[in-house]
């Protein structure tokens, strides 16, 4: 089950905690993975960690629309085959209360977290629709459904991603291409490691499964949605949050 | 038949997987050639790429038959 032999998977934000785990999981299941990120060193390390076989990387700054538009073609050039699986994982946060949030903070988050995934979906769908096959998994967040003080921009982008994915799922369904969302809860990554222990404990107390999430928890959900076995699942959001929000 | 007409026909045959004999000028993509709305969008994009023209959305909506496509592209190429 869940084998991806012969498939090419592009994972954005692959140098981050969750993106790295997604890439490693898809690779372990047989996919040829193309890692995209902004930090070349981190990507090169990731390539090495995956053993150098069936793995390539493309440096791309997705805040630049032209780079987002070109990424699919570049990934296909590197892999020497069409992208069968697109995982839109790259994202950033600019957290602050709305009263203090500047237009730039809003625009940058919406651009990188919503517009750039759209551009990548658009470019990837072109080939997927023609080939009558493909998987797109967009990584959103639990806050897209629940909201979160200090994250008006991020939660708007992630909620937008869910609506976008449902629309794309309807457009692409007749061609056997699926578009789904994985919405992580609180995951331990280098980004969240810096939070004070007291805050982490408080978060943990709100999670029925009694622990914070691991990147691998997200990667497993992504793998399922990328697989042949998930061929009758589209437009859905898989919440992976330890039960923190049951939606 | 013009070079443009030949090329349009070829693209239609290739994209819709239909018999070449069915791709007459009067043939409607949706009613006669079995295309759905996504096919028509893909066809328009294929025409744009093959002929290096831009077909705006309002013009694309009016392209219902093979002849519509040929006429539109010929007009663009003549301009």
């Amino acid at each position: 089950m869940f084998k991806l032999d012969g498939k090419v998977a592009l994972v954005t934000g692959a140098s981050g905690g969750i993106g790295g785990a997604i890439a490693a999981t898809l690779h372990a299941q047989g996919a040829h993975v193309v890692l995209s990120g902004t930090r070349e060193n981190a990507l090169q390390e990731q390539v090495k960690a995956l053993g150098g076989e069936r793995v390539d990387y493309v440096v791309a700054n997705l805040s630049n629309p032209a780079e987002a538009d070109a990424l699919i073609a570049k990934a296909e050039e590197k892999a020497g085959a069409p992208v069968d699986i697109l995982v839109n994982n790259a994202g950033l946060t600019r957290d602050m209360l709305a009263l203090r949030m500047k237009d730039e903070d809003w625009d940058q988050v919406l651009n990188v977290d919503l517009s750039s995934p759209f551009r990548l979906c658009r470019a990837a769908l072109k080939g997927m629709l023609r080939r009558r096959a493909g998987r797109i998994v967009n990584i959103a967040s639990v806050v897209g459904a629940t909201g979160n003080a200090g994250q008006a921009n991020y939660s708007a982008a992630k909620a937008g991603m869910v609506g976008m994915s449902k629309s794309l799922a309807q457009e692409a369904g007749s061609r056997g291409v699926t578009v789904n969302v994985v919405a992580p809860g609180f995951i331990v990554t280098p980004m969240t490691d810096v939070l004070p222990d007291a805050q982490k404990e408080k978060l943990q107390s709100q999670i029925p499964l009694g622990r914070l999430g691991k990147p691998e928890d997200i990667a497993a959900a992504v793998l399922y949605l990328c697989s042949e076995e998930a061929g009758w699942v589209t437009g859905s959001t898989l919440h992976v949050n330890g039960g923190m929000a049951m939606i | 038949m013009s070079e443009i007409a030949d090329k349009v026909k070829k693209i239609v045959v290739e994209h819709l997987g239909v018999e070449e004999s069915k791709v007459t000028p009067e043939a409607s993509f949706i009613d006669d050639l079995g295309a759905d709305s996504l096919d028509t969008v893909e066809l328009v994009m294929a025409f744009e790429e093959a002929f290096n023209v831009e077909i705006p959305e309002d013009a694309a909506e009016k392209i219902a038959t093979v002849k519509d496509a040929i006429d539109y592209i010929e007009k663009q190429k003549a301009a």
Side-chain angles (χ1 to χ4, degrees):
Chain A
M1 294 262 271
F2 314 131
K3 296 304 284 181
L4 301 177
D5 296 300
K7 306 284 186 199
V8 172
L10 169 64
V11 180
T12 70
S15 51
I18 294 177
I22 292 169
T25 299
L26 301 186
H27 186 263
Q29 293 305 109
H32 182 143
V33 295
V34 182
L35 316 169
S36 131
T38 50
R39 293 175 291 139
E40 184 158 23
N41 286 346
L43 292 172
Q44 283 168 339
E45 267 171 44
Q46 188 94 18
V47 167
K48 231 183 275 168
L50 294 180
E53 291 283 320
R54 288 185 287 108
V55 54
D56 289 288
Y57 74 90
V58 180
V59 178
N61 176 3
L62 297 180
S63 63
N64 177 341
E67 288 190 41
D69 284 337
L71 180 56
I72 298 291
K74 278 192 180 166
E76 295 186 338
E77 200 183 307
K78 287 269 173 129
V83 168
D84 302 297
I85 295 165
L86 166 64
V87 182
N88 275 309
N89 166 73
L92 53 80
T93 54
R94 290 284 176 275
D95 297 353
M96 66 200 76
L97 295 178
L99 287 178
R100 301 283 298 165
M101 192 177 284
K102 296 192 172 62
D103 281 357
E104 299 96 271
D105 303 316
W106 174 268
D107 290 343
Q108 194 185 12
V109 169
L110 267 289
N111 182 38
V112 173
D113 294 4
L114 182 59
S115 300
S116 113
F118 170 71
R119 291 184 182 107
L120 286 162
C121 286
R122 183 175 56 191
L125 277 171
K126 205 176 161 193
M128 290 177 177
L129 294 173
R130 280 213 54 66
R131 294 189 301 276
R132 304 288 194 266
R135 295 279 184 268
I136 295 177
V137 179
N138 292 321
I139 308 302
S141 167
V142 64
V143 305
T146 62
N148 191 24
Q151 293 194 306
N153 46 6
Y154 185 71
S155 53
K158 294 304 190 181
M161 192 178 227
V162 172
M164 174 187 79
S165 302
K166 290 177 180 176
S167 298
L168 298 181
Q170 292 181 28
E171 292 185 15
S174 67
R175 301 299 192 266
V177 176
T178 68
V179 185
N180 289 289
V181 175
V182 170
F186 196 85
I187 307 299
V188 180
T189 66
M191 203 171 82
T192 54
D193 259 351
V194 295
L195 290 175
D197 283 346
Q199 199 178 336
K200 278 194 249 183
E201 271 163 37
K202 191 174 163 233
L203 275 161
Q204 203 160 317
S205 72
Q206 295 163 355
I207 300 174
L209 285 173
R211 64 169 175 87
L212 303 182
K214 298 174 295 190
E216 290 74 20
D217 293 321
I218 304 309
V222 173
L223 169 62
Y224 166 63
L225 292 170
C226 290
S227 70
E228 286 298 315
E229 285 83 354
W232 209 49
V233 179
T234 196
S236 74
T237 299
L238 182 43
H239 286 276
V240 183
N241 60 33
M244 187 175 82
M246 299 189 182
I247 36 188
Chain B
M1 199 183 264
S2 75
E3 204 177 299
I4 286 174
D6 269 347
K7 211 161 152 188
V8 165
K9 221 172 145 177
K10 212 175 139 222
I11 291 167
V12 173
V13 167
E14 198 176 296
H15 270 256
L16 300 181
V18 291
E19 299 262 335
E20 207 180 321
S21 60
K22 284 195 175 163
V23 187
T24 59
E26 299 75 32
S28 152
F29 296 120
I30 290 175
D31 297 333
D32 301 319
L33 302 176
D36 65 12
S37 62
L38 201 52
D39 287 317
T40 61
V41 172
E42 286 187 303
L43 271 176
V44 164
M45 289 171 74
F47 294 147
E48 288 183 323
E49 208 168 299
F51 294 101
N52 196 25
V53 293
E54 202 169 313
I55 306 176
E57 204 46 45
D58 54 344
E61 277 168 18
K62 293 189 192 114
I63 298 178
T65 66
V66 176
K67 187 173 182 301
D68 291 342
I70 295 169
D71 287 351
Y72 184 84
I73 294 160
E74 280 183 343
K75 214 188 289 169
Q76 293 300 302
K77 282 301 188 187

